[in-house]
Each structure stands twice: as structure tokens, then as C-alpha cells.
Amino acid sequence: MPKASAKPKELQGFNFAKSTLREQKRGKGCHFFIDDYQFERLWQRPERYLDVLSGYDCVLTPDFSLYMDMPDAMQEWNRYRSAALGHYWAENGLTVVPTLSWAQPSSYDFCFKGIPKHSTLGTSTVGIAKDKDAQRVWHDGMREAIRSLEPRRVLLYGKDIGFDFGGCEVVEYKAGGFHGR
């Protein structure tokens, strides 16, 4: 995928993309930090959704689930699907922001493979704020992503869970609006 530089004012879930008018998408990025069933159809018929996604300033790659108890091959398949759709969208003129997600440390190699260095990247903390073990896994993976990918900017969807991003610019998106940091 090509390197991205994006800083939308707001992130909107894909589940609202079809019902949002094109002019209402300006200044927004489209995210996939929602249940997989709401965007699985993209994988089946990606060409059907190019027009739906084209009004956004940027589109984050789909966040297909990577569960810790999921076999590595299934995790790798979901990561592949995310990257393949992002590549397809970029080839068709959309500004694509790679989404970071991972599971156990053995997933880092395939989860961060193909993501450009020094790019804008997206990630989420939704669902981990109250789970100390999940926070530890998230911190460990984010540390590795920062070390290996050296992002210029991270679009963070969800609560700040106390991670030190170092010198990387972080743009936080919470329910109800935009928060720069």
C-alpha cells in the first residue's frame, strides 16, 4: 500500500456510509472498528462499494477480527483481506490509511507486513479499556508497530489508555467528536 497522509476531522463507521450523502462525507474518514458482519460484504463484492467510499477524505482498511484463540492461519487470512481491500481501494483512487491490529506476538510479522513506514496509520482501543490483559497485549503490539513502522501520525479511535506514542502525532477520535493531541 502507498504511504498515507490523512487527518480527517471525524471518523465515521462504515455502517453509516451508504446512508450518508457524498457532501456530508467531506472532512471525514471511514473506519471499520465495528462488528465484522457489517462489512464482510466488502470482501465478497468490493467493486460495489467504491462509490460509497469515494466521498470520504480517507478510508481506513477493514479491521477484520484477530482473536487470540484464532489459529495463526485464520489471523493471517484476515490480515491479508484487510491489506488486499486497501490495495484495491488505493488502485481505484481512494486515500487509504492502513489499520493496525494484531493478536499475540507471533502475529506481528504478518500484521505489520506491507504497511508503509512513516505513514499515517489507524488503530483502535475500543473494547480493551476495562481489561488489563487486553491493554497489555495492545501496548506490546503498539510498541512493536511504533518501533518497526515509525508512523508520522496515528488516528486513534477510542479511549486513551495511557500509551506513550513518543514523538508520533496522535489524533484521537472519541464518541461525539474529534480531539487533537
Side-chain angles (χ1 to χ4, degrees):
M1 269 189 287
K3 192 184 303 187
S5 179
K7 189 176 179 179
K9 293 178 183 163
E10 184 180 334
L11 289 181
Q12 181 181 50
F14 173 73
N15 48 329
F16 296 107
K18 278 184 101 171
S19 62
T20 303
L21 299 174
R22 188 176 189 85
E23 59 271 6
Q24 294 172 322
K25 294 177 182 178
R26 278 190 222 109
K28 295 179 183 176
C30 184
H31 75 79
F32 296 85
F33 301 122
I34 54 179
D35 291 328
D36 291 17
Y37 78 87
Q38 295 189 66
F39 58 86
E40 183 69 38
R41 57 194 155 147
L42 286 165
W43 180 248
Q44 304 303 322
R45 310 265 321 253
E47 70 284 351
R48 280 187 141 177
Y49 297 94
L50 280 173
D51 193 51
V52 171
L53 296 172
S54 67
Y56 289 100
D57 287 7
C58 66
V59 178
L60 279 64
T61 57
D63 186 39
F64 289 106
S65 294
L66 303 175
Y67 298 112
M68 297 285 279
D69 60 351
M70 184 183 272
D72 284 2
M74 288 177 69
Q75 291 177 2
E76 195 164 356
W77 172 245
N78 276 349
R79 172 65 188 109
Y80 166 78
R81 294 192 308 154
S82 175
L85 283 169
H87 177 78
Y88 174 76
W89 295 336
E91 290 284 307
N92 282 278
L94 300 181
T95 298
V96 179
V97 173
T99 297
L100 295 173
S101 59
W102 56 88
Q104 66 287 344
S106 64
S107 73
Y108 298 167
D109 283 343
F110 60 81
C111 284
F112 304 148
K113 184 179 183 176
I115 295 178
K117 280 187 159 190
H118 312 292
S119 182
T120 297
L121 304 175
T123 195
S124 174
T125 59
V126 171
I128 65 169
K130 296 179 181 177
D131 183 335
K132 293 295 180 195
D133 289 335
Q135 284 187 37
R136 182 184 44 73
V137 169
W138 191 92
H139 279 248
D140 290 347
M142 194 69 218
R143 253 190 306 280
E144 179 59 22
I146 295 287
R147 186 196 67 73
S148 62
L149 300 172
E150 303 170 2
R152 297 263 189 258
R153 177 181 300 130
V154 172
L155 308 181
L156 178 65
Y157 186 79
K159 293 182 179 182
D160 177 351
I161 59 168
F163 183 78
D164 179 3
F165 288 88
C168 177
E169 178 186 3
V170 178
V171 184
E172 295 178 23
Y173 300 90
K174 299 182 182 186
F178 160 83
H179 302 60
R181 174 167 147 192

